[in-house]
Amino acid sequence: NRFDIVIAVDGPAASGKGTIARALAAHFGLPHMDTGSLYRAVGLAVLRAGGDPADAPLAAGCARALDLSLLDDPALRESATARAASVVSAHPDVRAALLDRQRAFARQPGGAVLDGRDIGTVIAPDADIKIFVTANLDVRARRRQAETPERDLALVRANLAERDARDSGRDAAPLRQAEDAILLDTSEMDRETAIARAFALAEARLAENPALR
Ligand code: CDP
Ligand code: CDP
């Protein structure tokens, strides 16, 4: 790229934001960061320490001394870890401890794609392209169930709903669509259609911005 391009992809659990962010990164030749995995690593560290994710000082300590090997741990994708991530991520000191790492990634020469909950609102408010990915709860529950060993669809659905409510309702960097973000509702789209739509939205946004052409 001749210019830095920063792309922010946010949305609720299992909306498909990671899939879209990875596809955009490959399309534009940009590095990608899944910021949810950082919060999952903190949640997993707290659980492994035998602690309670609601314990703010403990969670902040785990965030400051982030154990990067946890990013490759198979337990990172478990629903217990997702729940712990959602609890620890509401502590302002945990978010503060992870801020510089995410900002530095977003500001690297050439640009970057990041996905999470607060990329367009807090981490990279000046991002060139912001996409807010959603899908209705039933669709998201079925998608998440298809990629996990969990067989109880109602339980998967309840876990996602609980996490969304906590992520949207917290005071510190809540999940919300940035004013200048483009909404992409993938409820009725398969993976390929959603990715094609994201490419079209991103290309249109770039074409509007003469500095990036
Ligand atoms: O993949 P999924 O949407 O299920 O979750 P994730 O993106 O891995 O994020 C796990 C949890 O981390 C979320 O439920 C949020 O509570 C938290 N998170 C956050 O607070 N801010 C971010 N930028 C990313 C994730
Ligand atoms: O990152 P996030 O938790 O928002 O979702 P993901 O991991 O990208 O996607 C969750 C699952 O839904 C994956 O197995 C995707 O292949 C699938 N999926 C999708 O991402 N988009 C669709 N339009 C349909 C399915």
Side-chain angles (χ1 to χ4, degrees):
N1 302 315
R2 283 204 301 137
F3 301 95
D4 296 358
I5 301 176
V6 178
I7 305 180
V9 184
D10 291 301
S15 55
K17 60 190 176 301
T19 300
I20 284 172
R22 279 190 299 276
L24 285 167
H27 183 70
F28 290 106
L30 296 170
H32 165 242
M33 177 183 262
D34 160 16
T35 65
S37 66
L38 301 177
Y39 292 94
R40 284 174 180 261
V42 175
L44 187 55
V46 170
L47 295 179
R48 293 263 166 92
D52 180 353
D55 180 340
L58 173 66
C62 289
R64 284 186 209 108
L66 189 65
D67 177 358
L68 295 174
S69 72
L70 293 175
L71 296 175
D72 301 315
D73 196 302
L76 201 71
R77 294 291 134 203
E78 288 174 4
S79 70
T81 305
R83 185 183 181 280
S86 163
V87 174
V88 299
S89 71
H91 304 312
D93 287 349
V94 167
R95 306 200 72 82
L98 300 178
L99 188 68
D100 286 351
R101 184 185 299 272
Q102 297 172 80
R103 285 246 168 99
F105 193 90
R107 287 175 183 169
Q108 66 189 291
V113 183
L114 293 88
D115 76 86
R117 301 292 184 292
D118 63 339
I119 309 305
T121 53
V122 175
I123 301 299
D126 299 332
D128 304 293
I129 302 167
K130 299 182 185 180
I131 301 181
F132 193 84
V133 185
T134 58
N136 69 51
L137 183 59
D138 287 319
V139 166
R140 291 189 285 120
R142 265 181 264 118
R143 287 179 188 167
R144 184 49 48 94
Q145 185 196 32
E147 51 182 13
T148 60
E150 180 57 64
R151 286 162 63 197
D152 185 347
L153 180 62
L155 181 63
V156 174
R157 190 181 190 280
N159 286 340
L160 293 183
E162 182 200 302
R163 204 140 59 85
D164 288 348
R166 198 185 293 110
D167 293 349
S168 307
R170 70 188 176 209
D171 291 329
L175 167 67
R176 67 176 180 81
Q177 183 180 350
E179 267 173 37
D180 51 349
I182 314 160
L183 182 67
L184 179 55
D185 185 336
T186 70
S187 300
E188 318 256 297
M189 297 178 195
D190 63 16
R191 218 173 149 281
E192 286 63 37
T193 307
I195 289 170
R197 189 82 195 110
F199 286 174
L201 292 172
E203 296 287 6
R205 197 40 75 97
L206 288 183
E208 276 167 20
N209 188 338
L212 293 168
R213 241 176 283 169

